[in-house]
């Protein structure tokens, strides 16, 4: 997911209906829970009995996966280096959940065997994702790879790294960094406004940059893999072996969504509005700060006897029609002026 730093928009209900686990209007839509109705039929078709999620954040997808597992009988484990309170609360409520407090690679190293499926949604950069994929391939050896599911196949992470913790990545494996920066579609550099990131590659594109680039490089030389991309909510990806007994059924299920041009258009539109919302919010923040400074200055001026004298002088010079009055300034401060 992108790292959301979004503030809560006005006029949006506190929580969506529990039965309708969807993104609230105007929010990022960062959770793969938003594609659960597409994901679980594929898990069922592949007969998944054990699943690992890498990168759980608040556990929104995790909770949906636990609900799915009630019916399928699958085990669900999730990996999060820094579990937020919501995730710890989920672990309390659902003791069957295995919570591994580690990075993706660290968690994989601690496993006795690979699960049937792995959802990879941790740190969205080439180095981390390639490391996770190579670790999985190494553990699989000559056995089939697990069913792999990904987030952030599309803009902004498709061809641009972002980093939760750049110091976990060797410097020569990292892209030149932007810090507390904003990015916008169509601008390969850093933009003046847009989606905010604490750490993002200063440039989009080029080798070893981005989630899709890491997946493409992994697929290269492994001809028995099939990749599908559902281009919604920043892009949901599925990667499976074409020789898996269930491969045909998954391919059939996902075909209507895979790179669907209408979905791409809808996602482009959604992202443009999301980015514009951030640009507008930043402009409003700047203007509000400027207004506060003006208020403070006017307040000080109103306290000053020199302003009273200036008002009287202006009254005299303009024959009872002064250029300004203190009342006008007070009305401005009281927001009485339309
Ligand atoms: C986009 S959020 C996950 C969202 C969740 N999968 C969902 O769909 O609701 C990414 C999470 O990955 C975690 N993370 C960052 N670096 C990681 C790493 N190297 N390994 C595993 N998780 C990582 C972050 O702390 C963050 O909570």
């Amino acid at each position: 997911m992108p790292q959301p730093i979004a503030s809560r928009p006005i006029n949006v209900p506190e929580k969506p209906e529990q039965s309708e686990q969807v993104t609230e209007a105007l929010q990022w839509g960062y959770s793969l829970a938003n594609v659960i109705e597409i994901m679980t039929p594929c898990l069922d078709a592949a007969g998944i009995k054990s699943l690992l999620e890498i990168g759980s954040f608040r556990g929104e997808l995790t909770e949906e996966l636990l609900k799915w597992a009630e019916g399928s009988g699958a085990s669900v484990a999730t990996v999060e280096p820094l579990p937020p309170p919501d995730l710890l609360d989920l672990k309390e409520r659902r003791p069957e959940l295995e919570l591994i407090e580690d990075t993706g690679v660290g968690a994989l190293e601690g496993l006795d065997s690979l699960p049937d499926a792995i959802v990879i949604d941790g740190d969205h950069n080439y180095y981390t994702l390639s490391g996770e994929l190579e670790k999985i391939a190494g553990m699989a050896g000559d056995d089939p790879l697990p069913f792999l599911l990904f987030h952030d196949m599309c803009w902004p992470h498709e061809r641009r790294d972002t980093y939760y913790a750049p110091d976990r990545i060797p410097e020569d494996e990292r892209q030149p960094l932007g810090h507390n920066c904003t990015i916008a579609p169509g601008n390969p550099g850093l933009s003046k406004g847009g989606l905010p990131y604490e750490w993002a590659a200063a440039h989009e594109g080029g080798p070893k940059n981005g989630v899709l680039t890491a997946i493409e490089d992994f697929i290269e030389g492994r001809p028995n893999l099939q990749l599908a991309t559902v281009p919604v909510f920043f892009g949901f990806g599925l990667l499976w072996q074409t020789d898996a007994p269930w491969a045909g059924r998954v391919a059939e299920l996902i075909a209507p969504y895979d790179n669907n041009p209408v979905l791409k258009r809808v996602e482009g539109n959604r992202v443009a509005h999301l980015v514009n919302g951030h640009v507008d919010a930043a402009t409003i923040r700047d203007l509000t700060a400027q207004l506060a400074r003006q208020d403070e200055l006017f307040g000080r001026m109103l306290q000053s006897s020199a302003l009273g004298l200036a008002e009287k002088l202006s009254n005299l010079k303009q024959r009872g029609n002064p250029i300004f009055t203190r009342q006008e300034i007070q009305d401005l401060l009281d927001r009485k002026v339309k």
Side-chain angles (χ1 to χ4, degrees):
M1 104 182 182
Q3 298 110 306
I5 321 177
S7 57
R8 188 177 187 78
I10 309 162
N11 295 335
V12 170
E14 190 59 31
K15 262 202 158 191
E17 287 293 312
Q18 280 304 310
S19 57
E20 210 185 310
Q21 177 64 45
V22 291
T23 287
E24 295 170 59
L26 303 179
Q27 295 228 330
W28 282 65
Y30 61 79
S31 177
L32 273 173
N34 287 297
V35 297
I36 195 73
E37 293 86 353
I38 299 177
M39 184 188 290
T40 52
C42 295
L43 297 176
D44 287 333
I48 300 302
K49 291 292 169 215
S50 55
L51 180 144
L52 178 76
E53 178 191 25
I54 295 179
S56 15
F57 192 43
R58 292 162 51 190
E60 283 149 276
L61 174 65
T62 324
E63 185 152 21
E64 292 303 311
L65 289 170
L66 287 168
K67 285 185 207 157
W68 159 76
E70 282 168 13
S72 73
S75 65
V76 176
T78 196
V79 181
E80 176 55 56
L82 295 168
D86 285 352
L87 184 61
L88 297 173
D89 175 57
L90 178 64
K91 166 71 191 152
E92 282 272 313
R93 287 188 284 116
R94 306 295 295 251
E96 73 272 29
L97 171 67
E98 186 187 352
L99 170 60
I100 307 170
E101 295 188 30
D102 206 335
T103 62
V105 167
L108 288 164
E109 278 167 356
L111 298 181
D112 295 331
S113 58
L114 283 170
D116 296 338
I118 307 182
V119 179
I120 307 186
D121 190 14
D123 207 359
H124 301 101
N125 55 73
Y126 185 93
Y127 178 83
T128 305
L129 180 53
S130 300
E132 289 159 346
L133 288 170
E134 289 305 334
K135 173 60 70 185
I136 293 165
M139 287 170 76
D142 293 333
D143 291 338
L145 285 173
F147 188 9
L148 297 173
L149 304 122
F150 304 93
H151 197 199
D152 296 299
M153 306 284 289
C154 303
W155 194 91
H157 295 288
E158 179 180 32
R159 304 290 179 200
R160 187 196 293 259
D161 282 356
T162 58
Y163 307 89
Y164 278 96
D167 50 4
R168 278 206 284 257
I169 320 274
E171 210 174 323
D172 56 349
E173 298 284 354
R174 242 173 23 207
Q175 295 292 325
L177 287 173
H179 184 39
N180 290 336
C181 51
T182 46
I183 58 180
N187 182 344
L190 300 175
S191 55
K192 215 161 161 261
L195 290 194
Y197 283 85
E198 189 178 1
W199 299 103
H203 284 280
E204 188 176 59
K208 296 190 170 192
N209 199 4
V211 165
L212 184 58
T213 310
I215 295 169
E216 284 170 351
D217 287 359
F218 178 75
I219 291 173
E220 184 132 342
R222 291 182 170 96
N224 63 338
L225 292 179
Q226 186 169 344
L227 178 68
T229 301
V230 184
V232 295
F233 294 106
F234 306 115
F236 166 45
L238 307 94
L239 185 68
W240 67 94
Q241 290 203 188
T242 47
D243 51 1
W246 41 264
R249 182 69 191 124
V250 168
E252 205 175 275
L253 279 171
I254 213 68
Y257 306 107
D258 186 13
N259 278 306
N260 182 303
V262 178
L263 296 183
K264 273 190 189 174
R265 241 172 272 138
V266 173
E267 174 68 355
N269 186 274
R270 184 187 79 89
V271 164
H273 283 287
L274 188 63
V275 170
N276 283 349
H278 278 271
V279 172
D280 291 347
T283 308
I284 290 169
R285 269 198 307 277
D286 287 351
L287 289 174
T288 306
Q290 188 179 336
L291 197 58
R293 287 198 300 276
Q294 286 179 7
D295 282 5
E296 195 271 329
L297 175 66
F298 283 153
R300 271 190 288 129
M301 285 169 70
L302 281 175
Q303 304 291 324
S304 137
S305 54
L307 188 77
L309 282 175
E311 182 187 358
K312 280 185 187 141
L313 197 59
S314 176
N315 197 27
L316 278 174
K317 275 186 80 180
Q318 303 297 323
R319 297 175 201 283
N321 194 15
I323 289 173
F324 73 92
T325 67
R326 280 177 298 169
Q327 189 57 49
E328 279 178 304
I329 297 177
Q330 188 61 58
D331 286 350
L332 265 181
L333 283 174
D334 296 342
R335 310 279 180 258
K336 282 190 186 154
V337 178
K338 295 250 163 64

